[in-house]
Amino acid sequence: MTDPVTAALITAIASLIVALISGGIALWNRRRTDKNFDEVQRMKGAIDGDLERLRAKLSHGQNVSATQWSAEFAAYQAIWRGMVEVRPVADKLVNREEELDQLGLPEEYLGSEDRLRHQKDLTRQLVSAAKGLLTAIHDNAPFYPAPIRDVANEAHKATVQLVRKNLRAITEAMKSNNIVRTEQFYSESHELLIHLVGQVDKVESLIRERLAAVQVVNFTVV
């Protein structure tokens, strides 16, 4: 028969073994839990990164449906047609007087009805082109990004200022006051033309960037 001391020792050893085993299991479980937690956190970070990139892409409007893109692309075509009509007429209207001076034409022609009639024709053409551009910009406004619309509006604004400037010059010419050939008229007209050309170029650049960035998504209903 086992004496009480031996029995107590055996019981203590057994308790110690159980405690060690339990502690080992707990430690192993904790390490496994920590490892799983780290893996979950890494996975969560990767998913968050993917979601953030997707969110940024969507916020820039780069993913669009085929239907939306069709409307947007048609808007760009209409706006660019308007720009193409405005720019050459504006250039001709601003630079024609300087070109006439360089040709060495007589003063009689420079102050004649023919020259004034030519200016009136070009101004009328610019008015018509400006109206077409305005229609293209605003009729299609819901279908393309606001930054492009803002720059297109600046181009139209410069066109209108150029029209007003020449209408005033025509009115003054009818009073025998030829302000078209003054240095002030030249410089102010050239500034407007430079601004107009700059905005047209910027519209082209923005449209090209949009064309390169957009991704058309075809949604299929099953």
Side-chain angles (χ1 to χ4, degrees):
M1 181 178 293
T2 306
D3 62 78
V5 174
T6 302
L9 182 59
I10 292 172
T11 302
I13 292 172
S15 299
L16 178 61
I17 292 171
V18 171
L20 288 173
I21 292 173
S22 299
I25 293 173
L27 179 62
W28 181 79
N29 284 336
R30 185 164 60 252
R31 286 178 178 174
R32 185 177 180 183
T33 301
D34 292 343
K35 183 179 179 182
N36 288 342
F37 177 78
D38 291 341
E39 288 178 356
V40 169
Q41 287 300 108
R42 282 196 296 271
M43 186 180 296
K44 184 176 182 297
I47 293 172
D48 287 344
D50 289 341
L51 287 174
E52 188 60 35
R53 284 190 291 274
L54 179 59
R55 191 178 296 111
K57 197 172 185 182
L58 290 173
S59 70
H60 285 83
Q62 294 178 328
N63 285 298
V64 298
S65 69
T67 302
Q68 179 185 339
W69 179 242
S70 179
E72 185 174 339
F73 188 74
Y76 294 145
Q77 289 179 309
I79 291 169
W80 191 246
R81 277 195 297 269
M83 296 289 178
V84 168
E85 298 224 353
V86 161
R87 182 170 175 168
V89 179
D91 181 78
K92 188 178 293 185
L93 187 59
V94 170
N95 290 316
R96 64 185 295 274
E97 291 298 324
E98 186 175 355
E99 291 170 355
L100 290 175
D101 282 343
Q102 291 173 351
L103 290 173
L105 296 175
E107 288 291 332
E108 290 78 13
Y109 174 77
L110 295 176
S112 68
E113 282 294 323
D114 286 339
R115 188 205 62 77
L116 183 60
R117 190 180 305 112
H118 193 193
Q119 185 182 10
K120 288 179 180 178
D121 288 342
L122 287 174
T123 303
R124 275 195 291 267
Q125 290 177 37
L126 192 57
V127 168
S128 177
K131 288 180 179 178
L133 177 58
L134 181 65
T135 298
I137 292 170
H138 291 286
D139 282 3
N140 295 283
F143 306 113
Y144 63 97
I148 297 177
R149 184 168 67 252
D150 293 341
V151 179
N153 278 331
E154 278 298 313
H156 177 262
K157 188 187 300 182
T159 304
V160 171
Q161 290 176 320
L162 204 51
V163 166
R164 288 174 177 169
K165 192 166 194 61
N166 278 272
L167 287 175
R168 177 173 173 269
I170 291 169
T171 302
E172 290 296 320
M174 294 173 69
K175 301 177 186 176
S176 300
N177 183 17
N178 191 8
I179 65 171
V180 171
R181 304 196 65 212
T182 64
E183 184 61 35
Q184 181 180 358
F185 188 89
Y186 274 140
S187 62
E188 290 177 355
S189 295
H190 276 283
E191 284 179 10
L192 287 173
L193 179 62
I194 290 170
H195 182 61
L196 168 59
V197 170
Q199 298 308 300
V200 171
D201 288 344
K202 194 170 181 180
V203 166
E204 179 183 358
S205 177
L206 289 172
I207 290 176
R208 287 184 182 277
E209 288 176 9
R210 178 68 173 166
L211 292 174
V214 96
Q215 181 176 355
V216 180
V217 179
N218 289 304
F219 295 102
T220 304
V221 179
V222 181

